[in-house]
Amino acid sequence: MRDADAAPVGLLMEFMPGGPLDLRIRGDSCPWADRLRWSVQASAGVAHLHDTCHVVHRDILPDNILIDAAGNVKLADMAISDVIGSSTFADQPIVNLVYMPPEVRDQPYDMHGDVFALGLTLYEIMSGRHCFANEDTGERSNVELIVRAKSRARSDEDMARAALSAGWPEWVPAAARELVGECIRLEPRSRPAARTMAERLLAMMG
């Protein structure tokens, strides 16, 4: 019950008129320069969460990255994020099963899980295609099939074959493809840090 004597509390949020990134990246009409810049910015945002705020996001996907008035992107929807090491850290739910890292079946979600989700997100930003796509239609497979594919993966190659089944368009350079592959490795600790990802992507901008 609200205390009548308490001062009112308001939450001021930045207006993001560009909407979710997911609406801008599909297909092949978006220039590579924009795709690469957004990939750098998304990775830098995750790096800031991890390194400065000591927070994991837990729900990284193109729908949760918004475009501001200047055409830059920022992470949004921190509803299930948590401070690393907090008392509730291991108990927070995972909402989106498509981008969920495979290791959460038997170990807590951590920063490496964010990197896995970020890798899938970068694939979609760069390629304009859905991860875990049906090879015949190009549309996303249903969640049950995606979860099954993750559980059956026994090697990094298996995971890449399932997650990146829609392939790569010719405009994506080999260095970017390699980085995404590293992000979705089965061994969580073998994935690059978000800061490293941002730096490598920035170097691709020349």
Side-chain angles (χ1 to χ4, degrees):
M1 188 171 181
R2 184 171 179 268
D3 186 344
D5 296 326
V9 176
L11 181 62
L12 183 64
M13 301 179 69
E14 181 179 0
F15 178 51
M16 305 293 281
L21 186 57
D22 190 60
L23 299 179
R24 297 281 295 275
I25 59 176
R26 299 303 169 192
D28 57 7
S29 61
C30 181
W32 169 247
D34 288 341
R35 295 180 186 274
L36 180 55
R37 177 168 53 87
W38 290 334
S39 296
V40 172
Q41 292 172 346
S43 300
V46 176
H48 180 75
L49 276 184
H50 291 176
D51 301 342
T52 304
C53 304
H54 307 292
V55 164
V56 287
H57 189 284
R58 295 180 184 269
D59 200 16
I60 298 170
L61 66 160
D63 273 337
N64 288 342
I65 300 174
L66 303 181
I67 306 173
D68 68 13
N72 299 310
V73 300
K74 297 179 181 179
L75 295 175
D77 196 350
M78 306 285 292
I80 60 171
S81 62
D82 203 358
V83 176
I84 298 168
S86 71
S87 59
T88 59
F89 181 69
D91 300 325
Q92 291 285 1
I94 304 298
V95 172
N96 196 300
L97 297 179
V98 173
Y99 300 85
M100 178 185 73
E103 65 269 14
V104 299
R105 289 171 298 171
D106 46 30
Q107 56 185 285
Y109 189 107
D110 60 12
M111 292 185 293
H112 306 297
D114 269 358
V115 169
F116 182 91
L118 180 59
L120 294 180
T121 297
L122 293 186
Y123 170 72
E124 299 196 359
I125 295 173
M126 293 175 179
S127 71
R129 302 171 182 178
H130 289 290
C131 63
F132 293 102
N134 181 292
E135 294 183 28
D136 296 323
T137 66
E139 296 300 315
R140 179 104 66 206
S141 298
N142 67 52
V143 172
E144 182 180 347
L145 289 176
I146 292 172
V147 172
R148 191 180 306 162
K150 291 179 184 178
S151 66
R152 289 177 175 175
R154 294 294 179 267
S155 67
D156 295 339
E157 290 74 19
D158 288 344
M159 181 59 70
R161 193 177 302 114
L164 315 180
S165 56
W168 287 100
E170 61 182 11
W171 65 71
V172 182
R177 302 182 191 195
E178 180 180 349
L179 179 58
V180 168
E182 292 174 20
C183 293
I184 59 173
R185 287 171 174 164
L186 289 179
E187 170 51 49
R189 295 187 180 278
S190 71
R191 299 168 193 157
R195 177 68 58 192
T196 300
M197 295 170 63
E199 291 170 350
R200 288 171 61 180
L201 289 165
L202 185 61
M204 296 178 204
M205 295 180 69

